[in-house]
Amino acid sequence: MTYALITGASSGIGLELAKLFAVDNDLILVSRNQERLEAIASELDCKSICIAKDLSDLSQVKELVDETRELDIEILVNNAGFGEHGEFAKLDANRQIEMINLNISALTYLCHAFAQRGQGAILNMASVAAFAPGPMMATYYSTKAYVLNFSFALAEELKAKG
């Protein structure tokens, strides 16, 4: 059976996607919390590989790609992400960069690595936030606009590969 790799799989939409994909796929579950991933995997009716990585750290994104290179991954689900609310100038700048690294850089790196395989499917999770400016969440809204537009462009480029 092929794998679906799901980032942000330990809660929320990622957890629900894991439950759905577990019906027809083995899973590679990725989030920062190994114990939570293992608890989720024990409840799913499929083979699951649990990998704890902080994808806001690009070195850990590269490690994830290296660790999964030999696995038959048919579906990549880029779900991991976060946002923060507040006046941009008052929010922690380093935390905003972590958000950009996770919401944009990690997603882009994983898409690049997966697209080089030449087959399969990519699901990038954006948000309705992608469609409008977002005062008090400027960085988050902007990252989701990137995800939406990048995904449209990537879909066009990869269309011929199925």
Side-chain angles (χ1 to χ4, degrees), residues 28 61 89 93:
I28 302 168
V61 176

Side-chain angles (χ1 to χ4, degrees), residues 52-100:
K53 297 286 182 196
D54 179 353
L55 300 181
S56 68
D57 176 348
L58 296 180
S59 67
Q60 292 189 47
V61 176
K62 292 174 184 179
E63 289 173 4
L64 174 62
V65 169
D66 289 342
E67 290 171 18
T68 60
R69 188 172 312 281
E70 301 302 318
L71 299 174
D72 187 14
I73 301 171
E74 183 68 22
I75 303 166
L76 169 64
V77 179
N78 277 310
N79 172 71
F82 75 92
E84 288 195 321
H85 185 269
E87 288 182 44
F88 175 75
K90 293 181 180 177
L91 293 171
D92 181 79
N94 290 324
R95 188 76 171 143
Q96 299 302 294
I97 297 303
E98 287 176 4
M99 186 188 315
I100 292 167

Side-chain angles (χ1 to χ4, degrees), residues 82-159:
F82 75 92
E84 288 195 321
H85 185 269
E87 288 182 44
F88 175 75
K90 293 181 180 177
L91 293 171
D92 181 79
N94 290 324
R95 188 76 171 143
Q96 299 302 294
I97 297 303
E98 287 176 4
M99 186 188 315
I100 292 167
N101 284 345
L102 178 59
N103 295 6
I104 294 176
S105 300
L107 175 140
T108 304
Y109 194 90
L110 291 171
C111 282
H112 186 266
F114 192 75
Q116 289 180 327
R117 295 173 184 232
Q119 64 181 23
I122 299 171
L123 174 61
N124 290 330
M125 300 301 291
S127 166
V128 295
F131 295 98
M136 305 304 285
M137 290 188 78
T139 303
Y140 176 77
Y141 275 60
S142 298
T143 64
K144 292 306 176 176
Y146 172 88
V147 172
L148 179 67
N149 289 299
F150 175 73
S151 298
F152 282 143
L154 195 58
E156 186 64 29
E157 284 186 34
L158 298 178
K159 182 171 35 177

